[in-house]
Amino acid sequence: MMKQILCFGDSNTYGLIPKTTDRYDWNTRWTGIIGEKLVNKGYRIIEEGLCGRTTIFDDPLRIGRRGTELLPVILETHKPVDIVILMLGTNDCKSFYDASASVIGLGMKKLIGQVRNAAPKAKILLISPIHLGDDIWDGYDLEFNADSVKTSKNIGSVYKRIADEEQIDYLAASDYALPSKEDREHLNQDGHKALARAIVNQLEQMIA
């Protein structure tokens, strides 16, 4: 029986092509790359990336973006899940949420609690997202401002502390990949490849 890895995230899990509304193909997305690497080890990837998804905030412009609203449903849909990868936080940095990295961390802790409640045997890999690029608000994405960039750079230390407290695995995407020059927010093809390599290495340690 194949084991399942659920990848729960936002547009950088969905595989949005920078500066477009299109999506990278399976072989380009980091989720697809790790799927190809791990299929021979008996694992299949469940992609659950959604553009605009947050941890706990309702998007005033789009419905269904609050992660805590949908994660329990998704976990039930794909039961049983063996590993859950959580990579959210970028959209929580939007200016209209006005949330600090610590508050975003509280949202992530709630998601971790939902995983443990619905899939108590599942291992969890918490990934802090790539940083937002400087001046992202200047002609790229008006939903972010200068404070958003600062907050995005503080999420990693908060998530690392949470991972230590919760005794789960942790990886900082910003250690391996940068936002694209095209929109200063999303991974390009090289970013997906680099992040996938790091995640595969981490998962192989978790699986061993």
Side-chain angles (χ1 to χ4, degrees):
M1 181 177 176
M2 295 288 284
K3 294 184 177 182
Q4 300 195 112
I5 300 174
L6 172 65
C7 303
F8 188 73
D10 53 30
S11 53
N12 275 321
T13 298
Y14 173 85
L16 188 74
I17 299 175
K19 205 90 173 152
T20 76
T21 57
D22 298 322
R23 187 182 191 185
Y24 284 121
D25 62 27
W26 168 258
N27 294 322
T28 303
R29 302 193 292 269
W30 68 261
T31 47
I33 296 171
I34 67 172
E36 292 294 330
K37 295 288 187 182
L38 296 177
V39 65
N40 291 333
K41 296 183 183 291
Y43 285 84
R44 67 182 292 267
I45 299 301
I46 302 167
E47 294 182 301
E48 282 291 350
L50 179 66
C51 297
R53 178 174 279 151
T54 67
T55 59
I56 55 173
F57 299 108
D58 285 311
D59 190 326
L61 302 176
R62 289 181 287 186
I63 64 170
R65 264 53 188 184
R66 177 161 50 92
T68 52
E69 180 181 24
L70 291 179
L71 181 57
V73 177
I74 289 169
L75 288 166
E76 184 176 352
T77 300
H78 297 292
K79 187 177 181 178
V81 173
D82 300 278
I83 297 175
V84 178
I85 298 176
L86 298 172
M87 188 171 75
L88 285 172
T90 298
N91 292 301
D92 299 59
C93 297
K94 289 178 178 178
S95 57
F96 45 65
Y97 299 133
D98 194 26
S100 67
S102 295
V103 169
I104 295 169
L106 293 176
M108 181 53 72
K109 286 191 74 169
K110 189 166 185 178
L111 289 166
I112 292 168
Q114 289 180 331
V115 174
R116 287 194 156 143
N117 183 60
K121 294 182 179 179
K123 295 181 179 180
I124 301 172
L125 172 56
L126 174 58
I127 302 179
S128 57
I130 60 172
H131 299 157
L132 291 168
D134 293 333
D135 300 328
I136 186 175
W137 62 90
D138 187 11
Y140 296 96
D141 193 331
L142 298 178
E143 295 181 27
F144 297 101
N145 59 20
D147 289 336
S148 303
V149 176
K150 293 177 184 177
T151 300
S152 78
K153 293 178 179 179
N154 290 331
I155 289 176
S157 60
V158 172
Y159 280 16
K160 177 63 169 66
R161 174 178 51 78
I162 290 171
D164 290 341
E165 291 172 354
E166 298 288 337
Q167 297 184 319
I168 59 176
D169 286 87
Y170 169 76
L171 185 147
S174 57
D175 285 348
Y176 305 95
L178 299 170
S180 68
K181 294 180 180 178
E182 288 82 5
D183 69 4
R184 308 191 182 194
E185 181 178 358
H186 296 102
L187 295 165
N188 60 18
Q189 293 186 45
D190 290 338
H192 277 275
K193 289 179 183 176
L195 181 57
R197 283 194 297 269
I199 294 174
V200 167
N201 288 338
Q202 188 76 28
L203 289 173
E204 287 179 338
Q205 294 177 40
M206 294 170 65
I207 293 167

